[in-house]
């Protein structure tokens, strides 16, 4: 049985229970992070923990654990559950209290985490995936990684019903982001992605891909683009911590490029994988020598 972690203790998953009065359950009053596990090691977890701190701060929630404590818990979950490729999910809610919209006084945060396996280096979607276009009906603070995600639940369900792997969300025809990913196009040799604002999540993978592109001398333009421009682009792809870089080869019925993963997308994915292998390989070597 899987080992999870709840409020400071490692517990079997069937003993990991939270209160029905937890505000994460009542209001979606919580934040979360997802970091990849690659070669059995955490990937860029430090960056995810910086974003966690920011999400907590924006919602005036106290931070219950230091980044060092989280790293230890996250790596232990990956190791104890024998995750070679996969992810660690963690969540912090404002805690449990009698139901009242405003913050209750003297409330203790609820924190939990678990790990699971997922194919990353040989993700079948690396052959190309379809996205389904939906209006972005979310709130005005999409920069906060909140667990209140009903809009994405509906968007991704609509995508599934349309036979697509991901939702492509737009506002008045301008792409915001994917249901749980950032969206990119390649046009005339340059990458385009929407600039950071409260309209999108500042993806950790987005940041890393900007660095990878720089190393490969591929220009990056942080500028919004329309759904029509994505359809007409040379290439289109998405990024997220547990997808890495995946080619979008169809936008609903429209084929992007020639319908196969494009060469720039492939270079970025390969560059991303090489960096991941380097980072997790190094940390594994470090821990063996410790
Ligand atoms: N946008 C949204 C709405 C997301 O949910 C995610 C995944 N958490 C991303 C972008 C990608 O962020 P990251 O690269 O940090 O996983």
């Amino acid at each position: 049985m899987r080992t999870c972690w709840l409020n400071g203790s490692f517990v079997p998953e069937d003993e990991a229970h939270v209160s029905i009065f937890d505000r994460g359950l009542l209001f979606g009053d919580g934040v979360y992070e997802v970091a990849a596990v690659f070669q059995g090691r955490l990937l860029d977890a430090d960056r995810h923990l910086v974003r966690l701190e920011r999400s907590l701060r924006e919602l005036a929630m106290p931070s219950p654990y230091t980044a060092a404590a989280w790293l230890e818990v996250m790596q232990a979950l990956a190791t104890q559950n024998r995750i070679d490729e996969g992810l660690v999910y963690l969540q912090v809610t404002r805690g449990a209290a009698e139901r009242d919209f405003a913050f209750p006084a003297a409330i203790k945060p609820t924190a939990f985490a678990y790990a699971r396996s997922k194919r990353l280096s040989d993700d079948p979607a690396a052959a190309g995936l379809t996205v389904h276009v939906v209006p972005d009906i979310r709130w005005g603070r999409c920069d906060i990684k909140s667990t209140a995600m009903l809009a994405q639940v509906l968007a991704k369900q609509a995508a599934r019903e349309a036979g697509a792997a991901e939702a492509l969300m737009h506002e008045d025809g301008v792409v915001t982001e994917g249901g749980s990913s950032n969206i990119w196009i390649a046009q005339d040799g340059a990458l385009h992605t929407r600039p950071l604002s409260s309209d999108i999540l500042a993806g950790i993978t987005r940041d890393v891909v900007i660095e990878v592109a720089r190393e490969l001398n591929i220009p990056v333009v942080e500028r919004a683009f329309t759904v029509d421009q994505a359809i007409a682009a040379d290439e289109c792809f998405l990024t997220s911590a547990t997808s890495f870089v995946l080619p979008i080869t169809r936008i609903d019925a429209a084929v992007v490029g020639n319908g196969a993963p494009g060469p720039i997308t492939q270079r970025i994915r390969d560059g991303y994988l090489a960096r991941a292998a380097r980072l997790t390989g190094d940390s594994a070597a470090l821990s063996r020598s410790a």
Side-chain angles (χ1 to χ4, degrees):
M1 181 182 305
R2 177 158 54 168
T3 299
C4 301
W5 180 88
L6 174 62
N7 293 328
S9 305
F10 290 95
V11 287
E13 73 173 281
D14 64 357
E15 289 173 26
H17 301 303
V18 296
S19 164
I20 63 163
F21 294 104
D22 195 280
R23 292 173 63 93
L25 183 57
L26 294 176
F27 299 117
D29 189 3
V31 299
Y32 75 108
E33 276 298 332
V34 181
V37 176
F38 196 67
Q39 303 190 114
R41 311 291 307 180
L42 294 169
L43 180 62
D44 292 316
D46 49 344
R47 298 188 188 210
H48 285 276
L49 292 167
V50 169
R51 187 172 64 186
L52 175 70
E53 285 293 323
R54 178 182 183 277
S55 295
L56 289 167
R57 201 165 54 241
E58 291 298 312
L59 297 179
M61 285 188 200
S63 182
Y65 298 95
T66 62
W70 273 121
L71 285 175
E72 216 169 288
V73 167
M74 293 165 80
Q75 184 59 56
L77 286 172
T79 304
Q80 286 179 30
N81 292 292
R82 297 191 174 81
I83 309 294
D84 179 39
E85 286 192 7
L87 60 94
V88 176
Y89 176 100
L90 69 86
Q91 182 172 328
V92 180
T93 81
R94 201 178 302 277
E98 192 66 39
R99 187 173 180 275
D100 177 13
F101 285 78
F103 307 164
I107 186 169
K108 214 170 116 274
T110 301
F112 62 86
Y114 66 84
R116 60 168 287 191
S117 292
K118 182 177 190 283
R119 286 166 71 179
L120 300 176
S121 57
D122 65 343
D123 189 330
L129 56 82
T130 300
V131 293
H132 173 58
V133 178
V134 296
D136 192 339
I137 60 167
R138 295 176 301 164
W139 72 324
R141 289 303 306 275
C142 299
D143 57 311
I144 300 172
K145 200 164 170 56
S146 155
T147 58
M149 285 193 287
L150 207 39
Q152 288 103 308
V153 167
L154 296 178
K156 281 173 160 293
Q157 176 60 24
R160 179 174 294 172
E161 287 173 14
E166 171 63 309
L168 178 68
M169 300 192 288
H170 73 91
E171 254 172 20
D172 300 326
V174 179
V175 172
T176 50
E177 56 187 332
S180 58
S181 56
N182 291 109
I183 305 289
W184 304 67
I185 56 173
Q187 189 66 55
D188 303 321
L191 297 181
H192 296 243
T193 198
R194 192 180 170 108
L196 296 182
S197 71
S198 53
D199 296 335
I200 64 167
L201 185 73
I204 302 302
T205 320
R206 178 188 178 282
D207 261 1
V208 171
V209 162
I210 289 174
E211 294 168 17
V212 168
R214 203 169 285 149
E215 278 167 27
L216 295 172
N217 287 317
I218 299 169
V220 177
V221 184
E222 293 186 71
R223 190 188 299 151
F225 49 84
T226 64
V227 173
D228 288 341
Q229 285 171 321
I231 289 170
D234 295 334
E235 302 178 30
C236 187
F237 64 87
L238 62 78
T239 57
S240 83
T242 57
S243 301
F244 292 177
V245 176
L246 292 178
I248 295 171
T249 47
R250 267 182 45 194
I251 300 175
D252 286 313
V255 172
V256 180
N258 65 4
I264 298 184
T265 305
Q266 199 57 55
R267 282 175 69 202
I268 295 286
R269 181 172 169 85
D270 290 347
Y272 190 92
L273 279 164
R275 173 186 176 277
R278 199 166 64 235
L279 287 182
T280 54
D282 284 349
S283 55
L286 278 176
S287 75
R288 273 196 303 275
S289 66

